[in-house]
C-alpha cells in the first residue's frame, strides 16, 4: 500500500489499537496532523504539551494500555520531557511522538530543532529517530512492544518532517529487530522454593507490595497469597489499591507519611516479601536502619532492582503475577506435605501486636484547630474534606492527585479497594500532574467517576487543561485543598527551618479559583465551612456534562502526620501530637 | 548476593576475587574490571552507554569502540573502576539498554588484555640510542624520527605499556596517547 510517511504512522498507530491520542500540532509535525482528520483515532487537543504527556499517563495508569501523545519539535518536544521523566520513574507505558526538522536540517540549529532523542535518553526506556519512511511500521511496533513489556515505561519516536512527507509502502510490521531486548517473565523454580520456605518459617512476615503488582495485574493473585498465608500487607504510594484497604490484613501505606503500623511492621518484621517494590528512599528512610532484622525476598521484573538498595536473601526476577502464582503453588504443596504449616494461629502473636498498634496509633487529626491557634484561618480540615469525599463517592471512583500535603492525605485517608483507582506522581513528584492526568483517566475510563484532589500550588501549574476538558466534554471533578500555601514545603520549613517561611505563601483568593473555573467552562464552587462540604460534593457528583472545580478553603496550619524526617530511621517516626505520649 | 532465579548467561556477573599484583603499582587502576559490550551498530549507542555511566555516577576509566566482524554489531570495551560502583549494578543497568546485545565481564586474571600506545619522546644525539634500545626491549616500533624527538608505538599488555611509559619518562615525554584496553577471555584447555 502506497502512503505518505505521515499516513503510515497513523495507520501503524491504528494497527496497534490506539483509540485516543493527546497532542498539539506545530510546524514539524504538521504532515502527521492531516491524516488524523480521516483516522478512527480520537485526538484530544491539549493546551500545553505537558498536559498531553500527563493525560497519556493518566490514561495508561487506569487502563493498563499505553498512552500516546503527539507533539511538534523544539519547544513542543521539550514540554513533554517532564511527563516522560514522570512516566519513567513510575514505570508507566507511554509512546510519545515528536516532530523533528527534516533530516538534511538536523544538526544545523534549524528553527525549532532540538536533539530530543539525546535529551530524553535518560528518561525513556528507549527512543528512535526515524530516518526512512519504510521503517515506520517496524519502529512503531517496536516502540509499543518496548513500552508495554518487561518493566513498562515511556518511549519516544522522533519523526522528521521529510520522512513524514516521503512516500512509503505500508505493510504489516514484520519481525522486530531488537536483538538486545529480552524481557523476563517466568520465575526460577528454585528461587520460588527458597522464598516459600522463608515465608513458612517467618514469625513476623510482611508483604511489601509496590506498583509492580498493579503493572502485572496481579491483585487477584496477591489476595489469594495473603489469604492463603495470612501474612499482612502494606501497599506503597504506587500500590494503593493493589490490595483492598478494607481487608483485615491490609496495614495501609508505609513510608515517610505512612501510618504507624505499616511503618513499624516493616521495621520489626523478620521477613519482607517485596513484590514489585523498589526500596525507595521514601519507604526505607535511612537505609542502614531499615527493617534491620528482616530477611528479604525480592520479586521484580527488573533485574537491576534486585540488590540495588537492599541485598535480598532470595531474589526473583520475574513478572509479579507469575511469581505470586508460583509462590502459591509452592506453599500449597508444602502445606499438603506438612499439615499445619499454614495454620493461621502461627502468626497470631504478630497479628495481635499489629492490632494493638492499629488501635493505639490510627491516623489522627484535630477535628478543629486548637483554641487560640486560629489566626483567622478557616476551621476546615483537609482530612475532613477527604473523608467526606471518600464516603460520598462510589467505591470504584478513580482518585487522582497532585503533589504535596494533599497527596499524602489523599493516600492516607482514601479507602482504596480496587486496583487502578489511584493515579498519582510517585517517583518524580511532579506538581501539576493532577488535572491533566484526571482528564486522561476519564478518557480511559468514561464509565467511572474521576475526582482529582489537587493543591492550590499544583492547580496553578496545569489548570489550563480544564479548558481542554470543557471543550471535549470530559466531566472530571477537581477538589482543590486550598491552604494558601505551598503546604508541603511550608511543613518542612515549619519542622526543619525554625518556622522561617521562605517563599511559600500563595494567597487563598488570588487567583479566584471559582471565577477561573467558570472562565474555563467548568462549574465553580467554594466551600469554607464543614457544613458546606457534603452539599458541594453532592452537587458536583450530579454534574456530568462539564468539569467541576471546588475551592475548599482549608486550614493552612495543618501538618501531615505521621512523618519520618528525611534521612532518619523509620524507628523515629513522628506521630500525631495527640499520640506522642503513648507507649510504643 | 544470592539471586536465586538469575540464570547465568548474558548479563550475569560471576563475582571473583580481585587481583593485586601488577595493578597495585599503577595505583589508580587498583580495582578495575573490563566490561565488554556487544552493541548494535547504530547511531547514538555510545552516547547511551556513556550517558548511563554518567547518570548513575559510575566511573569509566578507559573506553575503546570498534565494529566487530559482523557489521551489525560493535564492541565497546570499558574499564570500570569497581570502587565507584557495584559491578553487578553497572552490568544490570547496562543490560537494560535496548541496543546492548550482550555483556561480558572479565576479571583481569581471566583476560588477555591489550592496549596501544603512541608516544613522542625527547631524544637528542645522546639519548637517542638509549631510547631505541628500550624500544627494542619492549617490542615497540619507531614510527617517526625528528631532529630532537622520536615517536614510538607499542601494542602490548597494559602493564607492559605502563612500564614502558615509566622508563621513558626520564627522557622527557612530549606527547602520549593510549587507546584504552581491549580484552578477550583467556582460552581454557578445551577451547
Ligand atoms: C514541579 C515541582 N516544583 C516544585 C516541587 C516541590 N514541591 C513539592 S510539594 C510542593 C508544594 C505543593 O503545594 P500545593 O500544590 O499547594 O500542595 P500542598 O502541599 O499545599 O497540599 C512543592 C513546591 C515539586 N514537587 N514539583
Ligand atoms: Mg497548598
Amino acid at each position: 500500500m502506497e502512503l505518505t510517511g505521515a499516513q503510515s504512522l497513523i495507520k501503524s498507530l491504528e494497527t496497534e489499537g490506539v483509540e485516543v491520542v493527546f497532542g498539539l500540532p506545530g510546524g514539524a509535525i504538521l504532515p502527521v496532523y492531516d491524516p488524523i482528520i480521516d483516522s478512527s483515532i480520537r485526538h484530544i487537543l491539549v493546551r500545553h504539551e505537558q498536559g498531553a504527556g500527563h493525560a497519556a499517563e493518566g490514561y495508561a495508569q487506569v487502563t493498563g494500555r499505553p498512552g500516546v501523545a503527539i507533539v511538534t519539535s523544539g519547544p513542543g518536544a521539550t514540554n513533554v520531557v517532564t511527563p516522560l521523566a514522570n512516566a519513567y520513574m513510575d514505570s508507566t507505558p507511554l509512546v510519545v511522538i515528536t516532530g523533528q526538522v527534516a533530516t538534511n536540517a538536523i544538526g544545523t540549529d534549524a528553527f525549532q530543532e532540538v536533539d530530543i532523542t539525546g535529551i530524553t535518553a535518560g528518561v525513556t526506556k528507549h527512543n528512535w529517530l526515524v530516518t526512512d519512511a519504510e521503517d515506520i511500521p517496524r519502529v512503531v511496533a517496536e516502540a509499543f512492544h518496548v513500552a508495554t513489556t518487561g518493566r513498562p515505561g515511556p518511549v519516544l519516536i522522533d519523526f522528521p518532517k521529510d520522512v513524514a512527507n516521503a512516500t512509503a509502502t505500508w505493510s504489516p510490521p514484520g519481525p522486530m529487530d531488537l536483538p538486545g531486548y529480552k524481557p523476563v517473565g517466568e520465575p526460577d523454580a528454585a528461587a520460588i522454593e527458597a522464598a516459600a520456605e522463608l515465608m513458612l518459617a517467618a514469625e513476623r512476615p510482611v508483604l511489601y507490595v509496590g506498583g509492580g503488582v498493579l503493572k502485572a495485574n496481579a491483585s487477584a493473585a496477591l489476595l489469594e497469597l495473603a489469604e492463603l498465608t495470612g501474612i499482612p500487607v502494606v501497599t506503597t504510594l504506587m500500590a494503593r489499591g493493589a490490595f483492598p484497604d478494607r481487608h483485615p490484613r491490609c496495614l495501609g501505606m508505609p513510608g515517610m507519611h505512612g501510618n504507624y503500623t505499616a511503618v513499624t511492621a516493616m521495621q520489626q518484621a523478620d521477613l519482607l516479601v517485596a513484590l514489585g517494590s523498589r526500596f525507595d528512599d521514601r519507604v526505607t528512610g535511612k537505609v542502614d536502619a531499615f527493617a534491620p532484622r528482616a530477611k528479604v525476598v525480592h520479586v521484580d521484573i527488573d533485574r537491576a532492582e534486585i540488590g540495588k538498595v537492599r541485598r535480598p536473601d532470595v531474589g526473583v526476577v520475574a513478572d509479579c503475577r507469575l511469581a505470586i502464582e508460583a509462590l502459591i503453588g509452592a506453599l500449597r504443596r508444602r502445606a499438603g506435605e506438612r499439615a499445619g504449616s499454614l495454620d493461621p494461629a502461627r502468626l497470631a502473636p504478630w497479628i495481635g501486636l499489629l492490632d494493638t498498634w492499629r488501635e493505639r496509633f490510627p491516623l489522627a487529626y484535630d477535628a478543629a484547630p486548637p483554641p487560640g491557634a486560629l489566626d483567622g484561618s478557616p476551621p476546615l480540615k483537609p482530612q475532613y474534606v477527604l473523608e467526606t469525599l471518600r464516603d460520598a463517592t462510589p467505591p470504584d471512583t478513580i482518585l487522582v492527585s497532585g503533589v504535596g500535603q494533599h497527596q499524602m492525605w489523599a493516600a492516607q485517608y482514601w479507602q482504596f479497594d480496587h486496583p487502578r483507582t489511584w493515579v498519582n506522581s510517585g517517583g518524580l513528584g511532579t506538581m501539576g500532574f493532577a488535572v491533566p492526568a484526571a482528564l486522561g483517566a476519564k478518557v480511559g475510563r468514561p464509565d467511572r467517576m474521576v475526582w482529582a484532589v489537587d493543591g492550590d500550588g499544583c492547580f496553578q501549574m496545569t489548570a489550563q487543561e480544564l479548558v481542554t476538558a470543557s471543550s471535549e466534554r470530559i466531566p472530571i471533578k477537581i477538589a482543590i485543598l486550598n491552604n494558601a500555601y505551598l503546604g508541603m514545603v511550608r511543613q518542612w520549613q515549619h519542622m526543619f527551618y525554625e518556622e522561617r517561611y521562605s517563599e511559600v505563601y500563595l494567597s487563598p483568593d488570588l487567583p479566584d479559583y471559582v471565577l477561573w473555573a467558570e472562565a474555563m467552562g467548568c462549574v465553580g464552587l467554594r466551600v469554607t465551612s464543614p457544613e458546606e462540604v457534603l452539599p458541594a460534593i453532592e452537587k458536583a457528583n450530579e454534574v456530568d456534562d462539564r468539569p467541576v472545580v471546588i475551592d475548599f478553603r482549608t486550614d493552612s496550619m495543618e501538618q501531615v502526620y505521621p512523618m519520618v524526617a528525611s534521612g532518619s530511621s523509620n524507628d523515629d517516626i513522628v506521630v500525631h501530637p495527640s499520640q506522642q505520649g503513648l507507649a510504643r | 548476593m544470592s539471586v536465586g532465579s538469575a540464570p547465568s548467561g548474558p548479563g550475569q556477573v560471576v563475582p571473583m576475587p580481585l587481583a593485586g599484583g601488577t595493578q597495585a603499582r599503577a595505583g589508580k587502576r587498583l580495582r578495575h574490571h573490563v566490561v565488554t559490550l556487544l552493541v548494535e551498530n547504530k547511531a547514538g549507542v555510545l552516547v547511551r552507554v556513556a550517558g548511563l555511566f554518567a547518570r548513575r555516577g559510575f566511573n569509566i576509566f578507559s573506553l575503546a569502540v570498534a565494529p566487530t566482524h559482523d557489521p551489525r554489531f560493535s564492541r565497546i570495551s570499558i574499564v570500570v573502576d569497581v570502587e565507584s560502583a557495584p559491578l553487578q549494578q553497572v552490568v544490570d543497568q547496562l543490560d537494560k539498554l535496548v541496543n546492548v546485545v550482550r555483556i561480558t565481564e572479565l576479571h583481569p586474571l581471566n583476560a588477555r588484555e591489550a592496549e596501544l600506545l603512541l608516544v613522542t619522546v625527547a631524544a637528542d644525539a645522546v639519548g637517542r640510542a638509549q631510547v631505541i634500545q628500550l624500544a627494542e626491549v619492549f617490542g615497540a616500533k619507531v614510527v617517526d624520527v625528528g631532529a630532537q624527538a622520536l615517536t614510538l608505538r607499542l601494542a602490548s599488555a597494559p602493564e607492559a605499556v605502563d612500564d614502558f611509559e615509566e622508563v621513558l619518562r626520564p627522557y622527557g615525554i612530549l606527547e602520549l596517547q593510549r587507546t584504552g584496553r581491549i580484552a578477550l577471555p583467556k582460552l581454557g584447555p578445551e577451547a
Side-chain angles (χ1 to χ4, degrees), chain B residues 18 27 42 49 68 91 105 112 114 121 123 146-147 156 163 174 181 191:
Chain B
L18 290 161
K42 286 186 175 166
V49 170
T68 60
V91 170
E105 183 270 333
R112 294 284 174 220
V121 196
S156 191
D163 292 345
L174 303 177
R181 64 182 74 194

Side-chain angles (χ1 to χ4, degrees), chain A residues 254-256 260 262-264 266-267 281-286 289-291 563-565 567-574 584:
Chain A
M256 179 175 269
Y260 180 87
V263 171
T264 310
M266 291 176 93
Q267 284 306 95
D281 54 275
R282 286 299 194 258
V283 168
T284 61
K286 187 178 174 197
F290 174 64
M563 177 166 187
V564 179
S568 297
S569 160
N570 282 351
D571 289 331
D572 300 327
I573 181 170
V574 178
R584 293 213 173 162

Side-chain angles (χ1 to χ4, degrees), chain A residues 195 198-199 202 204-206 269-273 293-297:
Chain A
L198 287 179
M199 288 171 78
R204 298 185 312 279
V206 173
D270 66 354
L271 176 68
L272 291 180
V273 182
R293 286 171 295 281
K295 291 198 161 150
V296 171
V297 171

Side-chain angles (χ1 to χ4, degrees), chain B:
Chain B
M1 174 173 63
S2 66
V3 180
S5 79
S8 53
Q12 185 57 18
V13 170
V14 185
M16 280 173 288
L18 290 161
T22 46
Q23 305 309 312
R25 192 178 32 74
K28 56 193 173 178
R29 243 168 305 167
L30 199 58
R31 292 162 71 83
H32 80 268
H33 275 224
V34 180
V35 177
T36 309
L37 311 179
L38 186 70
V39 301
E40 287 185 85
N41 197 356
K42 286 186 175 166
V45 175
L46 181 60
V47 174
R48 289 177 201 275
V49 170
L52 188 143
F53 273 80
R55 252 190 335 273
R56 300 249 171 213
F58 307 149
N59 281 343
I60 294 180
F61 188 79
S62 78
L63 181 128
V65 194
T68 60
H69 55 281
D70 181 340
R72 288 176 305 152
F73 302 110
S74 290
R75 202 178 301 278
I76 304 182
S77 300
I78 304 176
V79 178
V80 183
D81 167 12
V82 282
E83 301 272 77
S84 84
L87 191 64
Q88 182 73 51
Q89 182 61 198
V90 176
V91 170
D92 286 346
Q93 294 293 352
L94 284 169
D95 203 30
K96 283 162 65 171
L97 293 177
V98 168
N99 297 130
V100 173
V101 180
R102 197 167 58 234
I103 306 181
T104 337
E105 183 270 333
L106 282 174
H107 186 275
L109 284 180
N110 304 326
R112 294 284 174 220
E113 299 179 307
E115 200 174 348
L116 181 63
L117 164 90
L118 281 173
V119 61
T120 302
V121 196
D124 55 15
V126 183
R128 179 165 304 219
Q130 292 176 17
V131 169
I132 291 176
Q133 212 176 354
L134 284 171
E136 272 166 16
V137 170
F138 277 86
K141 285 235 155 38
V142 177
V143 293
D144 206 359
V145 181
Q148 297 295 322
L150 290 174
T151 297
L152 309 171
R153 182 182 68 208
L154 174 65
S156 191
E159 299 75 31
V161 176
D162 288 346
D163 292 345
F164 190 47
E165 201 182 313
E166 283 313 309
V167 300
L168 290 180
R169 199 174 298 282
Y171 297 90
I173 292 177
L174 303 177
E175 244 182 306
L176 177 146
Q177 198 161 345
R178 297 175 64 153
T179 56
R181 64 182 74 194
I182 55 175
L184 286 175
K186 274 186 188 167
L187 300 177
E190 72 281 7

Side-chain angles (χ1 to χ4, degrees), chain A residues 60-65 93 148 150 152 209-224 241-243 275-276 301 318-325 418-421 445:
Chain A
Q61 285 198 27
V62 300
T63 62
R65 295 195 296 274
T148 54
V209 170
V213 168
L214 291 170
K215 308 285 178 327
N217 294 317
S219 291
L222 172 64
L223 184 63
E224 193 181 340
F243 188 74
L275 301 169
I301 199 160
D319 172 88
C320 261
R321 187 176 57 80
L322 299 179
I324 293 171
E325 286 170 0
H418 302 276
R420 299 188 187 279
T421 54
R445 293 303 305 259

